[in-house]
Amino acid sequence: MARPDKAAAVAELTDKFRSSNAAMLTEYRGLTVAQLKTLRRSLGENAQYAVVKNTLTKIAANEAGITLDDQLFAGPTAVAFVTGDPVESAKGLRDFAKDNPNLIIKGGVLDGKALSADEIKKLADLESREVLLSKLAGAFKGKQSQAAQLFQALPSKLVRTVDALRAKQDEQGGAE
């Protein structure tokens, strides 16, 4: 029978997996407490970074309906549970790992889909949600102004054509 403290830890981790948009697993061996504190700050406000027990985390992931590769649970593991924009947290992990080679990004999960370490790095290369939305809005605004110019050009072109035809008829009528 499972011990109550372990069952509570599994339940808490299961809840974190279910309530998070993303979870990124890392190996933190060789990092100091001060470096871990810096890492937690670099992940952003919408992420929690927790050192976890591999066996309990694997059980919790399975209970949350997430299948992760067993290799992710080798060595000391910490998980960044992200409730907001996963791009911001992925950038924080990537940038921290550049400065601190002891941090190894193992992989993770995004919206229930398993991610490799390379996929997390690609996620970090994306622009933030706000930037992408503003670019999309700018593209829509540009298309709207092009459409407005087109709709304004059609009547004025029609008026110029009618005026040219009238002037040509006046010339032909005056020449006869």
Side-chain angles (χ1 to χ4, degrees):
M1 183 168 185
R3 291 189 358 214
D5 57 333
K6 288 187 179 183
V10 168
E12 182 182 347
L13 287 170
T14 302
D15 184 50
K16 285 185 179 182
F17 272 115
R18 286 183 179 147
S19 64
S20 299
N21 297 341
M24 299 172 206
L25 285 78
T26 63
E27 183 176 324
Y28 63 92
R29 186 184 334 219
L31 294 177
T32 65
V33 173
Q35 288 172 322
L36 287 174
K37 189 175 180 180
T38 304
L39 173 59
R40 283 185 173 98
R41 274 190 255 122
S42 71
L43 292 177
E45 296 175 7
N46 298 323
Q48 279 186 320
Y49 189 73
V51 173
V52 294
K53 292 191 177 279
N54 289 334
T55 307
L56 301 181
T57 305
K58 186 174 180 181
I59 293 169
N62 286 335
E63 286 184 12
I66 299 168
T67 305
L68 294 172
D69 189 11
D70 289 340
Q71 294 176 354
L72 295 177
F73 298 103
T77 303
V79 182
F81 292 103
V82 183
T83 55
D85 185 12
V87 173
E88 179 185 0
S89 298
K91 284 182 184 189
L93 278 175
R94 179 198 61 196
D95 295 344
F96 187 86
K98 282 181 186 176
D99 298 334
N100 300 282
N102 288 336
L103 180 75
I104 299 168
I105 300 171
K106 296 180 178 182
V109 63
L110 175 65
D111 293 328
K113 180 188 175 287
L115 297 175
S116 68
D118 290 334
E119 290 172 322
I120 290 176
K121 290 173 185 170
K122 286 179 185 175
L123 181 66
D125 292 336
L126 290 176
E127 293 174 330
S128 72
R129 182 176 190 271
E130 291 78 20
V131 171
L132 291 174
L133 286 174
S134 66
K135 284 185 176 183
L136 183 63
F140 281 140
K141 184 178 179 184
K143 293 298 179 190
Q144 285 177 339
S145 66
Q146 285 176 347
Q149 289 173 353
L150 176 67
F151 292 135
Q152 288 175 349
L154 289 175
S156 65
K157 187 173 182 179
L158 178 65
V159 169
R160 286 193 306 270
T161 305
V162 169
D163 284 344
L165 284 172
R166 190 175 301 140
K168 188 173 182 180
Q169 284 179 345
D170 288 345
E171 283 178 16
Q172 288 177 353
E176 294 176 9

